[in-house]
C-alpha cells in the first residue's frame, strides 16, 4: 500500500461515523444505537448481518471473489463507552452526562466499518471474513458473552484479530507482541475477623488491624520471592478498611486489591500462596481471615505465527521501520483475551499519538480518538485480510 487509496477516500465518512458515535456513547450491553448504526452500514455495503450474540453484538459476514480456499478469519472491534463525564467541549463531545468514549472504541468501530466497506467493494480475497462488533469490553466481558452465545460455532474463524489505539505510540506506528500483550486481572477481597476491645487493653482482644498490616507486608513476597524474576506479576492491595475510633480495637478489617499476571501458572500459584499466607498469618495471631477472588479477564496472549502475519500486514501499510516488534506488554487487561483462548490470532497496538496534548490518554476525561489514524487502522485490516486470504493469480 501504504494507506490504501480507496480507504483514504473514506476519511471524511469514517470521521463523521466516529464523531457521531462519540457524541452518543453507550455503556456495555446497552449499545443499541451504536449496533443499529453498525448493522445498517454493513447491510448497505452488501454484507450479511447477524445480530443478538452477547445482546447487542453484531457479526457481518463477507466472502471474497476467490472461492477455493474455504479459509475464514474474524476481525473484532469493540463498541462500548465508559461511565465517566467528558471534559472536552468540541462539537462532537458526549451528549450524555456521565458517559464517554474515553477508550477510543468509537474509532475502533468506525475503522472496522471502513475496512468492511472497502472489502465489500473489492472482495479481493479468497475466503470468508467475519466482522465482529462486540459489546461491553470495559469490565463486563462482552467477548465472553458472544463466545458463550456460540460466536465461533456459528461463525467459524480459523484465526481472530483485534487492535487497540495506543496513545503512547506515535501515530503511524504499529506495535506487535509475539506473546503476552495484556495481563490477566483478578480482584480480591480479604476479611479479617478478630475480637474488639478497648484500645488500652489490647490483651483482651485480637487486633484485626495488626493482622491486616502483616498480611499487606507479607503479600509483597508473592511477587518478590515467589515469582520467577524473568516473569511479571503485580499484587496491589488498594483498600484497607477498619475501625471507627482512636480508642477502640475493631472486631474486623477488610482489604481489597488486584492481581495481574501473564501466565495461568503464575495466576493460580499466586492465588494459592496468597490464600495460605492470609489464613496462616491470621491463625498465628489468633484471628481468622478469608481471601476471596473475583475472576477477571484472562491474559491477552498472541500466538507467534499470527503475530508475524499481523506484523507483515502492518508493514505493508506503515512500512517495516514503523512496526515495533515485541515491546513490553502492559499490566492492563482486555477481554479480547477470551477470543485468543479460543482461536489463534493477534491483538496489535495502533499508534495514536497524544494528539490533544499529554492528557489525551486512555480513560482520561480529555481523551479523544485521533481521526487521522482511521485510515491507518482500516488499511491495516484490509491488508491483513488480503495477506491471509490471497487470491491465486
Ligand atoms: Zn478502556
Ligand atoms: Zn479500550
Amino acid at each position: 500500500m501504504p494507506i490504501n487509496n480507496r480507504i483514504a477516500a473514506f476519511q471524511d465518512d469514517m470521521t463523521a461515523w466516529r464523531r457521531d458515535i462519540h457524541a452518543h456513547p453507550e455503556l456495555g450491553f446497552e449499545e443499541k444505537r451504536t449496533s443499529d448504526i453498525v448493522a445498517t452500514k454493513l447491510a448497505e455495503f452488501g454484507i450479511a448481518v447477524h445480530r443478538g450474540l452477547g445482546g447487542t453484538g453484531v457479526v457481518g459476514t463477507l466472502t471474497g471473489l476467490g472461492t477455493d480456499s474455504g479459509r475464514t478469519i474474524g476481525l473484532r472491534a469493540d463498541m462500548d463507552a465508559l461511565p465517566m463525564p467528558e471534559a472536552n467541549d468540541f462539537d462532537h463531545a458526549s451528549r450524555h452526562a456521565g458517559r464517554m468514549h474515553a477508550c477510543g472504541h468509537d474509532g475502533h468501530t468506525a475503522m472496522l466499518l471502513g475496512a468492511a466497506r472497502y472489502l465489500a467493494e473489492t472482495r479481493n480475497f479468497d475466503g470468508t471474513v467475519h466482522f465482529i462488533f462486540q459489546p461491553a469490553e470495559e469490565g463486563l466481558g462482552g467477548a465472553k458473552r458472544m463466545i458463550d452465545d456460540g460466536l465461533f460455532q456459528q461463525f467459524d474463524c480459523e484465526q481472530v484479530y483485534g487492535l487497540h489505539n495506543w496513545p503512547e505510540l506515535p501515530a503511524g506506528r504499529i506495535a506487535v507482541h509475539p506473546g503476552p500483550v495484556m495481563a490477566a486481572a483478578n480482584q480480591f477481597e480479604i476479611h479479617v475477623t478478630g475480637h474488639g476491645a478497648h484500645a488500652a487493653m489490647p490483651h483482651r482482644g485480637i487486633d484485626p488491624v495488626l493482622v491486616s498490616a502483616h498480611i499487606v507486608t507479607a503479600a509483597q513476597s508473592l511477587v518478590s520471592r515467589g515469582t520467577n524474576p524473568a516473569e511479571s506479576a503485580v499484587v496491589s492491595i488498594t483498600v484497607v478498611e477498619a475501625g471507627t475510633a482512636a480508642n477502640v480495637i475493631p472486631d474486623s478489617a477488610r482489604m481489597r486489591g488486584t492481581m495481574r499476571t501473564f501466565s495461568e501458572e503464575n495466576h493460580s500459584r499466586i492465588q494459592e500462596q496468597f490464600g495460605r499466607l492470609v489464613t496462616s498469618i491470621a491463625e498465628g495471631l489468633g484471628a481468622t481471615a478469608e481471601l476471596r477472588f473475583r475472576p477477571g479477564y484472562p491474559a491477552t496472549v498472541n500466538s507467534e505465527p499470527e503475530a508475524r502475519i499481523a506484523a507483515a500486514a502492518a508493514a505493508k501499510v506503515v512500512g517495516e521501520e514503523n512496526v515495533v516488534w515485541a515491546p513490553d506488554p502492559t499490566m492492563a487487561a482486555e477481554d479480547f483475551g477470551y477470543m485468543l483462548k479460543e482461536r489463534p490470532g493477534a491483538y496489535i497496538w495502533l499508534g495514536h499519538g497524544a494528539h490533544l496534548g499529554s492528557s489525551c490518554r486512555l480513560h482520561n476525561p480529555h481523551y479523544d480518538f485521533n481521526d487521522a489514524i482511521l485510515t491507518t487502522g482500516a488499511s491495516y485490516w484490509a491488508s491483513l485480510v488480503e495477506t491471509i486470504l490471497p487470491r491465486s493469480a
Side-chain angles (χ1 to χ4, degrees):
M1 296 184 187
I3 298 296
N4 183 301
N5 279 335
R6 182 63 191 140
I7 287 174
F10 300 159
Q11 171 72 45
D12 290 350
D13 283 347
M14 284 194 286
T15 302
W17 304 337
R18 202 285 291 177
R19 293 186 176 192
D20 175 56
I21 295 170
H22 189 94
H24 302 91
E26 295 173 301
L27 300 181
F29 296 121
E30 295 171 7
E31 306 90 339
K32 231 203 125 308
R33 182 182 184 276
T34 312
S35 63
D36 281 349
I37 292 171
V38 167
T40 305
K41 296 238 173 288
L42 291 174
E44 271 171 31
F45 306 152
I47 293 173
V49 176
H50 182 283
R51 304 188 65 173
L53 290 183
T56 49
V58 182
V59 182
T61 297
L62 178 70
T63 299
L65 289 175
T67 49
D68 299 337
S69 78
R71 299 195 56 202
T72 54
I73 60 169
L75 312 180
R76 170 274 204 174
D78 37 17
M79 301 187 288
D80 58 320
L82 284 154
M84 60 185 277
E86 176 156 6
N88 298 310
D89 56 6
F90 40 60
D91 282 352
H92 62 277
S94 172
R95 311 245 161 105
H96 301 292
R99 288 188 243 156
M100 179 187 176
H101 269 294
C103 206
H105 300 182
D106 48 348
H108 301 165
T109 299
M111 64 175 68
L112 188 56
L113 281 174
R117 181 177 174 182
Y118 163 82
L119 289 164
E121 271 182 21
T122 52
R123 294 174 62 207
N124 185 27
F125 59 93
D126 184 350
T128 298
V129 180
H130 299 297
F131 303 94
I132 303 165
F133 293 85
Q134 77 151 77
E137 190 286 320
E138 297 286 359
L140 299 172
K144 180 162 192 322
R145 278 276 296 276
M146 286 189 87
I147 293 166
D148 290 347
D149 283 355
L151 174 65
F152 293 124
Q153 280 75 46
Q154 292 183 49
F155 303 96
D156 184 34
C157 298
E158 288 166 26
Q159 300 168 8
V160 67
Y161 291 85
L163 65 75
H164 208 291
N165 75 92
W166 210 250
E168 283 73 17
L169 191 68
R173 306 189 89 183
I174 287 176
V176 188
H177 299 75
V181 190
M182 317 275 268
N186 260 353
Q187 292 190 7
F188 58 81
E189 198 165 316
I190 303 166
H191 277 274
V192 179
T193 308
H195 188 74
H198 195 297
M201 300 169 220
H203 59 295
R204 298 261 166 84
I206 292 168
D207 184 0
V209 176
L210 180 65
V211 176
S212 301
H214 279 288
I215 290 174
V216 171
T217 308
Q220 308 312 309
S221 70
L222 294 168
V223 175
S224 71
R225 304 290 89 182
T227 303
N228 179 342
E231 291 176 41
S232 307
V234 171
V235 176
S236 290
I237 295 178
T238 53
V239 176
V240 181
E241 286 173 346
T244 52
N247 58 353
V248 176
I249 291 172
D251 247 343
S252 63
R254 191 175 76 101
M255 291 177 278
R256 290 170 57 202
T258 181
M259 171 188 130
R260 313 238 160 176
T261 56
F262 291 119
S263 75
E264 292 197 356
E265 293 111 273
N266 254 340
H267 209 80
S268 40
R269 181 190 52 76
I270 291 177
Q271 271 199 14
E272 198 197 305
Q273 282 182 356
F274 200 5
R276 268 207 314 271
L277 209 83
V278 164
T279 34
S280 58
I281 287 173
E283 196 189 297
L285 295 167
T288 56
E290 194 193 350
L291 169 70
R292 257 182 271 139
F293 275 95
R294 205 181 67 185
Y297 293 166
T300 300
V301 183
N302 289 343
S303 38
E304 187 167 346
E306 284 70 24
R308 290 195 182 280
I309 294 168
K316 289 179 193 166
V317 179
V318 296
E320 197 129 15
E321 66 284 6
N322 287 311
V323 176
V324 184
W325 180 252
D328 284 343
T330 164
M331 282 287 173
E334 155 68 58
D335 83 342
F336 191 64
Y338 288 115
M339 293 200 185
L340 288 177
K341 277 174 73 111
E342 300 292 319
R343 293 292 183 274
Y347 174 88
I348 61 135
W349 291 345
L350 178 65
H352 177 271
H355 71 301
L356 297 179
S358 61
S359 56
C360 186
R361 303 287 178 197
L362 299 177
H363 295 208
N364 183 289
H366 294 280
Y367 174 88
D368 189 36
F369 188 84
N370 182 1
D371 290 314
I373 66 164
L374 286 168
T375 50
T376 321
S379 297
Y380 163 73
W381 282 134
S383 167
L384 190 65
V385 170
E386 291 171 2
T387 302
I388 299 174
L389 307 174
R391 280 179 74 196
S392 45

